[in-house]
Amino acid sequence: MGRFSDRVRAAGSAENAGHGMSPLEGGKFAAVLSAIALAISGYSLWETSLRQADVRIFVPPVIQYSAPYQNSNFEMIAVPVTMTNEGARTATILSMQLAVTDPRTQVTKHFYAADFGRWTMERTRTGAYEPFAPVSLAGRSSRTESVLFYTRGDGEKPAQLIEALGSYNFDLTFDVAETKDKPTVKFDRSLLYYDARAFNERTLPMYSADWQSSSNTKAD
């Protein structure tokens, strides 16, 4: 009987303790819950609507090269590019510039994004390319294009930069309307063989030494 009474008193004490939270303590608890809910709501708004455009660039292990015209400084470099916008706001890519350096001579030649498509001489003769235009990337979206880069004007020297076998350094830079930052990816690609006759119909591949894609994604 005594044990039963003890259990009854213990249960009553626990119940009183549960109902004994003061109005002040209850108010603090509610305030904490409200603050957590507000923080979650603010983060969700930031991620879905307010976060600035954040452009990432990805280049595959193989790109293509051509120098089809004699007595000309014209060179063509075809770079398949995947562009992603990790931000919530739209990113508008106004232009793309490619700088190529021969590490043996430290000479750099500059190229601009001219067309989209797969390069062949036949398609070049018929103009069967889509001209480059600013690229709009909605928030949390991506797009992949094969971008054809041409020599940026007659003043670019030398007449033919890519000819010797070996590695070349590439800097691909984007101009983005919504930010002053210029997303840039640096990569090396190697010319493993050279035969100018190939340019009559096709291109020559240039390879990554480690067979890996390159990007400007920051390491976590």
Side-chain angles (χ1 to χ4, degrees):
M1 187 68 178
R3 291 181 180 176
F4 178 78
S5 300
D6 291 341
R7 287 198 296 270
V8 171
R9 285 194 296 271
S13 298
E15 184 177 356
N16 291 335
H19 292 287
M21 181 180 292
S22 68
L24 180 60
E25 291 173 332
K28 290 181 178 179
F29 183 69
V32 170
L33 289 180
S34 297
I36 293 173
L38 182 62
I40 294 174
S41 177
Y43 179 77
S44 177
L45 179 64
W46 166 260
E47 285 291 324
T48 57
S49 301
L50 300 179
R51 185 177 176 183
Q52 294 286 346
D54 183 7
V55 176
R56 309 294 177 90
I57 310 166
F58 301 86
V59 176
V62 182
I63 63 176
Q64 302 292 327
Y65 170 74
S66 179
Y69 307 119
Q70 294 182 354
N71 303 318
S72 168
N73 78 332
F74 178 84
E75 295 178 271
M76 187 287 306
I77 301 172
V79 183
V81 178
T82 295
M83 303 156 278
T84 68
N85 179 11
E86 299 294 325
R89 296 184 179 183
T90 296
T92 306
I93 301 168
L94 300 176
S95 62
M96 304 178 192
Q97 286 85 38
L98 184 66
V100 186
T101 301
D102 183 345
R104 290 161 288 275
T105 63
Q106 295 304 309
V107 173
T108 298
K109 194 170 182 179
H110 299 89
F111 300 77
Y112 71 100
D115 292 318
F116 294 125
R118 178 177 174 272
W119 170 276
T120 65
M121 280 305 300
E122 180 60 31
R123 298 190 72 192
T124 299
R125 294 186 189 100
T126 60
Y129 300 119
E130 179 185 351
F132 178 88
V135 176
S136 180
L137 289 175
R140 308 296 183 184
S141 69
S142 65
R143 177 172 170 176
T144 298
E145 296 284 356
S146 182
V147 185
L148 305 182
F149 290 89
Y150 301 160
T151 300
R152 195 172 68 181
D154 293 335
E156 292 292 332
K157 304 297 181 185
Q160 187 168 346
L161 177 71
I162 300 176
E163 187 172 13
L165 302 186
S167 180
Y168 294 81
N169 310 136
F170 295 79
D171 284 14
L172 175 58
T173 303
F174 286 6
D175 289 322
V176 181
E178 292 77 12
T179 176
K180 293 182 179 179
D181 295 335
K182 293 181 179 293
T184 300
V185 58
K186 299 177 181 291
F187 55 97
D188 296 339
R189 295 293 182 269
S190 294
L191 186 67
L192 302 185
Y193 67 93
Y194 184 85
D195 183 352
R197 293 172 298 180
F199 303 143
N200 294 329
E201 299 295 336
R202 55 184 178 86
T203 57
L204 292 177
M206 300 183 71
Y207 300 93
S208 168
D210 61 3
W211 297 96
Q212 299 296 313
S213 295
S214 305
S215 80
N216 66 330
T217 302
K218 303 176 182 65
D220 295 330

